[in-house]
């Protein structure tokens, strides 16, 4: 029986900075080793599969493939935050199947479509592993596009469909206020906004709003009129405190593990105080307001779903932590030694195992946000 990971938002990579860049470490572990993303991305795939039929429905009802293919029989798709596979290949195959089905419904006697898929991620992403594992019989042409999706990646009006799964929760940068000892948002002793002051939470929310504005503006330039964008990301019900989610326990225990090590003299407190995870989880209300403010897209669907509805069983703590490490370890490597990281994840696993009941109770059904937009 399949085990569930409490929050897929802990498991996926994202983009780099718009203003002051973070180190290029927002990427999953490459290769095929013990903590590689290739070996540890099963939970992410299960979470994305939950909305597979909803995406099919959105394409069937809202995507005018006949119009999009009126000037060319090539449909261009961009997968932003693709990582190293295999999940991106599965998602792209599904999208192609859905789009081809819609085209046959609209144009049963017309030409056959061709597809060009752009795989985008950070420059430091392991594109070698990605392209070595491309399906040999894939029904599309493939190209890699390194770079931050918070900026323009493609020429104007050349993309017909954008897919972005569990990448937009990564901020482009850590808010500067978190590192300022004279600021009310100084995040001393923590590495996230979980259980932090309102000033810390507001700093994270403000950065997310800036990032989304940049992201939407860039995609508005690149998508053709009538093009579709699908975004899957961690979400939180309107008004719910973040501390009630299982992810909050994970981040708190990471902080506690680092502070325990600092108290034992294994690392310094300054190392902990100067490190913050650039991760933010928006509510549907926040996302709807940001899209409306941007003005370039119409909202066809915006809803919370259950990321674990297709699996059953208790939380597998060891598997969860291993998946988290495969996706997030790069964030720690530029700040802590490898021995420190090994020790932190070992302590994290032990702490979470002792509080497995809290992990279970903190796992909420509707914590995955699906957003379907059409370029106006």
């Amino acid at each position: 029986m399949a085990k569930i990971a409490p929050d897929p938002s802990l498991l996926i990579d994202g983009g780099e900075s718009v203003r002051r860049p973070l180190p290029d470490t927002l990427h999953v572990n490459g290769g095929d080793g013990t903590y590689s993303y290739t070996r540890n991305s099963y939970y992410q795939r299960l979470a994305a599969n939950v909305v597979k039929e909803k995406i099919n429905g959105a394409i069937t009802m809202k995507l005018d493939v006949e119009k999009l293919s009126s000037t060319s029989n090539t449909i261009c798709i961009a997968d932003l935050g693709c990582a190293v596979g295999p999940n991106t290949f599965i998602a792209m195959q599904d999208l192609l199947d859905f789009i081809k089905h819609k085209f046959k419904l609209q144009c049963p006697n017309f030409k056959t479509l061709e597809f060009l898929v752009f795989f985008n991620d950070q420059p430091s992403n392991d594109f070698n592993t990605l392209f070595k594992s491309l399906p040999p019989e894939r029904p599309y042409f493939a190209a890699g596009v390194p770079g931050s999706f918070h900026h323009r990646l493609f020429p104007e009006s050349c993309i017909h469909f954008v897919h972005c799964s569990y990448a937009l929760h990564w901020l482009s940068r850590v808010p500067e206020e978190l590192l300022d000892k004279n600021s009310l948002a100084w995040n001393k002793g923590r590495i996230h906004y979980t259980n932090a002051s309102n000033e810390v939470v507001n700093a994270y929310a403000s950065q997310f709003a800036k990032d989304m504005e940049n992201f939407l503006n860039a995609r508005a330039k690149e998508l053709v009129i009538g093009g579709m964008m699908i975004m899957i990301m961690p979400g939180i019900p309107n008004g719910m405190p973040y501390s009630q989610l299982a992810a909050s326990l994970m981040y708190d225990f990471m902080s506690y593990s680092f502070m325990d090590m600092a108290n034992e003299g294994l690392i310094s407190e300054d190392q902990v105080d100067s490190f913050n995870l650039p991760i933010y989880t928006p509510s549907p209300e926040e996302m709807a307001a940001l899209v409306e403010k941007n003005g370039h897209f119409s909202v066809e669907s915006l809803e919370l779903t259950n990321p674990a509805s297709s699996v059953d069983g208790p939380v597998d703590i060891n598997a969860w932590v291993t998946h988290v490490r495969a996706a997030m370890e790069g964030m720690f490597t530029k700040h802590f030694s490898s021995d420190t990281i090994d020790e932190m994840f070992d302590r994290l696993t032990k702490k979470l195992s002792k509080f497995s009941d809290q992990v279970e109770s903190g796992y909420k059904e509707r914590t995955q946000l699906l957003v379907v937009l059409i370029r106006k």
Side-chain angles (χ1 to χ4, degrees):
M1 182 172 291
K3 306 288 186 178
I4 58 174
D7 192 337
S9 70
L10 297 169
L11 307 175
I12 308 294
D13 64 321
E16 64 185 8
S17 175
V18 175
R19 294 171 59 194
R20 190 182 70 182
L22 287 165
D24 187 14
T25 53
L26 288 176
H27 59 84
V28 300
N29 285 345
D32 192 37
T34 301
Y35 299 113
S36 67
Y37 185 83
T38 300
R39 288 191 180 187
N40 300 283
S41 56
Y42 175 68
Y43 290 147
Q44 297 93 317
R45 183 161 67 254
L46 291 179
N49 281 344
V50 169
V51 295
K52 178 178 175 179
E53 290 308 314
K54 291 181 181 291
I55 293 173
N56 186 17
I59 291 172
T60 301
M61 298 299 295
K62 302 296 183 179
L63 189 66
D64 190 344
V65 184
E66 181 179 12
K67 181 178 179 180
L68 295 181
S69 62
S70 60
T71 57
S72 171
N73 71 328
T74 300
I75 297 295
C76 295
I77 301 173
D79 189 26
L80 307 183
C82 64
V84 295
N87 294 350
T88 185
F89 305 133
I90 296 171
M92 292 304 98
Q93 183 62 59
D94 288 340
L95 285 181
L96 264 63
D97 289 343
F98 300 155
I99 294 172
K100 286 190 288 187
H101 177 69
K102 175 61 183 293
F103 184 68
K104 288 180 180 179
L105 292 176
Q106 287 188 290
C107 309
N109 300 316
F110 279 67
K111 59 193 175 185
T112 301
L113 292 177
E114 291 191 314
F115 295 89
L116 172 58
V117 176
F118 295 103
F119 294 95
N120 158 260
D121 213 307
Q122 289 279 65
S124 60
N125 184 57
D126 188 356
F127 283 98
N128 286 333
T129 293
L130 175 73
F131 286 111
K132 283 179 181 178
S133 55
L134 270 171
E137 303 300 324
R138 62 189 179 278
Y140 54 85
F141 299 96
V145 181
S148 167
F149 53 50
H150 292 109
H151 302 290
R152 287 280 301 279
L153 294 166
F154 306 101
E156 189 170 348
S157 300
C158 74
I159 302 296
H160 301 96
F161 199 106
V162 170
H163 176 269
C164 188
S165 180
Y166 278 92
L168 282 169
H169 65 293
W170 288 99
L171 300 178
S172 68
R173 59 191 291 273
V174 171
E176 294 179 355
E177 307 95 301
L178 306 184
L179 306 178
D180 183 357
K181 294 182 179 181
N182 297 317
S183 170
L184 293 176
W186 184 35
N187 205 23
K188 180 174 175 56
R190 297 184 181 87
I191 64 171
H192 192 243
Y193 65 86
T194 301
N195 292 315
S197 66
N198 288 334
E199 288 80 8
V200 172
V201 177
N202 291 338
Y204 269 91
S206 177
Q207 186 60 50
F208 179 78
K210 294 174 185 176
D211 287 348
M212 280 304 304
E213 179 68 10
N214 289 328
F215 178 86
L216 292 173
N217 282 336
R219 303 296 82 77
K221 287 286 188 179
E222 298 163 352
L223 271 166
V224 301
I225 301 300
M228 179 175 283
M229 180 156 61
I230 299 286
M231 298 178 289
I232 308 166
M233 67 184 80
I236 185 169
N238 296 328
M240 176 184 284
Y242 190 83
S243 60
Q244 293 186 21
L245 299 181
S248 68
L249 196 63
M250 168 72 78
Y251 296 136
D252 269 351
F253 281 176
M254 282 183 175
S255 298
Y256 298 159
S257 296
F258 278 130
M259 287 304 296
D260 287 346
M261 295 166 68
N263 292 333
E264 295 168 20
L266 301 178
I267 58 175
S268 69
E269 284 193 36
D270 285 343
Q271 282 182 282
V272 183
D273 294 341
S274 60
F275 179 82
N276 290 276
L277 289 171
I279 298 173
Y280 185 76
T281 302
S283 67
E285 185 177 51
E286 284 178 282
M287 280 300 299
L290 291 172
V291 174
E292 180 179 1
K293 178 183 177 182
N294 178 265
H296 293 301
F297 298 89
S298 62
V299 178
E300 303 302 327
S301 178
L302 200 160
E303 61 178 307
L304 286 172
T305 61
N306 179 359
S309 60
S310 63
V311 295
D312 193 12
V315 175
D316 186 331
I317 299 297
N318 288 317
W320 184 25
V321 173
T322 300
H323 276 62
V324 168
R325 182 167 183 168
M328 294 176 59
E329 187 167 14
M331 278 300 304
F332 297 99
T333 54
K334 295 294 183 180
H335 201 82
F336 301 100
S337 69
S338 58
D339 289 343
T340 298
I341 295 170
D342 288 340
E343 180 69 17
M344 187 278 289
F345 278 110
D346 182 60
R347 294 183 183 218
L348 175 65
T349 302
K350 292 175 181 177
K351 289 180 186 294
L352 288 171
S353 297
K354 291 180 180 179
F355 291 87
S356 58
D357 289 343
Q358 275 186 256
V359 173
E360 296 283 356
S361 64
Y363 185 62
K364 303 298 180 181
E365 288 189 354
R366 297 187 303 125
T367 55
Q368 178 168 267
L369 187 60
L370 172 65
V371 184
V372 180
L373 306 179
I374 295 289
R375 176 69 169 93
K376 292 180 180 178

